[in-house]
Amino acid sequence: MSTQSTLSKKSAVGDPAQVSESMPKRKKMTVPAFTARKGGDPLVCLTAYTAHVARIVDEQADMILVGDSLGMVIHGMPNTLGVTMEHMIMHGQAVMRGAEKALVVVDMPFGSFEESPEVAFRNAARIVKETGCTAVKLEGGMEMADTIRHLTARGIPVMAHVGLMPQQTNTAGGFKAVRDTDLFDAVIADAKAVEAAGAFSVVVEGVAVKLANKVTKAVDIPTIGIGASAECDGQILVFEDMIGLFPRVPTFVKRYGNMEDMMRDAVERYAGEVRRREFPNEKYTYKAKTDE
Ligand code: KIV
């Protein structure tokens, strides 16, 4: 059992007497501790974009990603290309207010790192300074190796992202999973290149099970899968997809809740009670002091 996953913040805060010796205290996850989990207990990762969600996710997750999927699931964009540095920094700051133990990684948005290693460093340093996160994530394999080397050599840990890369949607013609065996070697080469450049972990998105297995065996850093099977060293999902708060979800997403229905039901009941003048009743109103 991992020391990172046994004690929820809620139980520790709510009832200190419950913190027995048999429940090891969770330590703050660091980059070296994360990398050391290669081949060990599966790494639990989720996205979060607000302080309150980060607080909830932090109770279980080894890593919280402030991903650029926030453009789609929070801001209603058709893809991630319109996401800006300002979006990432604002949501990164919110998440840092809620996260305590998990490693917080913030995505570099499209256009903020591709131009040169120097531009990437300037933007990555801004993200780290202004949010207080520990690491950044960027999409790309071999073509981003020099940039990853430049950032890691200068104190910015990098999580890489290979396989299906949502920021490449226009060149790929959509979000296309990598299933064609002719493409396997290129993805494996990408994973090896980002590892050699110093990435501490790599997200592997939308690849066939066989390829996920090969990539995981090919590198000594943890592979974090999304639509990439249990062959990876850890898993990540987008929080809104996982709780059922986003209507369009890929087939690999398992819904662990149906928040959209719960929210619709709450809004419907509220609207009905307001229209019938049932809410707010006496219980939810202030009385003047002289009435008491
Ligand atoms: O932005 C995001 O949510 C991501 C995950 C898909 C890994 O990059």
Side-chain angles (χ1 to χ4, degrees):
M1 172 65 78
S2 151
T3 53
Q4 300 293 335
S5 60
T6 44
L7 179 62
S8 85
K9 194 195 292 183
K10 205 169 165 191
S11 60
V13 170
D15 186 0
Q18 294 295 310
V19 185
S20 75
E21 277 148 37
S22 64
M23 296 169 78
K25 261 194 175 159
R26 273 179 82 208
K27 287 196 204 117
K28 167 91 183 128
M29 178 61 88
T30 62
V31 164
F34 194 88
T35 302
R37 288 274 290 275
K38 172 74 185 178
D41 288 345
L43 286 152
V44 176
C45 311
L46 270 172
T47 65
Y49 302 135
T50 64
H52 187 58
V53 168
R55 214 168 282 127
I56 295 166
V57 169
D58 190 73
E59 291 173 13
Q60 297 289 335
D62 297 300
M63 187 273 270
I64 297 176
L65 174 69
V66 185
D68 63 354
S69 58
L70 63 81
M72 299 171 76
V73 302
I74 302 291
H75 294 276
M77 298 176 183
N79 53 46
T80 58
L81 302 181
V83 175
T84 63
M85 283 287 292
E86 284 65 34
H87 287 128
M88 299 314 302
I89 287 169
M90 189 180 68
H91 288 283
Q93 288 168 339
V95 166
M96 286 301 292
R97 290 183 200 113
E100 206 179 90
K101 304 288 187 195
L103 183 73
V104 177
V105 179
V106 176
D107 242 344
M108 297 202 69
F110 178 67
S112 70
F113 63 96
E114 303 88 333
E115 191 179 334
S116 69
E118 289 75 20
V119 169
F121 182 81
R122 200 171 308 129
N123 285 319
R126 190 177 157 210
I127 289 172
V128 171
K129 270 178 195 289
E130 294 185 28
T131 67
C133 73
T134 301
V136 298
K137 176 169 84 60
L138 57 86
E139 290 183 17
M142 270 188 195
E143 73 285 7
M144 282 301 140
D146 284 347
T147 296
I148 294 171
R149 197 169 290 111
H150 191 82
L151 299 191
T152 53
R154 287 160 181 77
I156 301 182
V158 177
M159 173 174 268
H161 185 149
V162 302
L164 189 164
M165 292 180 258
Q167 292 176 7
Q168 302 293 321
T169 184
N170 285 338
T171 40
F175 299 130
K176 301 251 166 69
V178 186
R179 301 168 68 187
D180 186 339
T181 50
D182 290 348
L183 302 172
F184 284 16
D185 285 348
V187 177
I188 296 165
D190 277 345
K192 284 183 171 174
V194 298
E195 177 186 32
F200 72 91
S201 176
V202 57
V203 167
V204 182
E205 178 164 358
V207 305
V209 182
K210 255 191 187 160
L211 177 53
N213 173 279
K214 285 177 190 285
V215 170
T216 300
K217 282 189 179 147
V219 294
D220 288 329
I221 53 175
T223 54
I224 306 300
I226 174 160
S229 83
E231 295 293 327
C232 296
D233 297 300
Q235 296 296 321
I236 186 160
L237 283 176
V238 173
F239 181 76
E240 284 71 10
D241 291 347
M242 192 268 297
I243 62 163
L245 192 53
F246 192 65
R248 287 175 289 119
V249 287
T251 43
F252 61 77
V253 172
K254 179 172 177 184
R255 283 189 154 163
Y256 288 84
N258 198 339
M259 285 304 287
E260 185 157 333
D261 282 357
M262 282 180 68
M263 287 165 82
R264 185 166 289 115
D265 177 61
V267 171
E268 217 174 284
R269 285 189 294 120
Y270 164 77
E273 289 188 12
V274 169
R275 289 186 186 117
R276 292 189 299 274
R277 295 190 188 282
E278 289 169 9
F279 177 84
N281 62 16
E282 218 188 319
K283 183 178 169 193
Y284 301 100
T285 49
Y286 291 107
K287 287 184 188 67
K289 283 198 172 157
T290 49
D291 293 348
E292 285 165 356

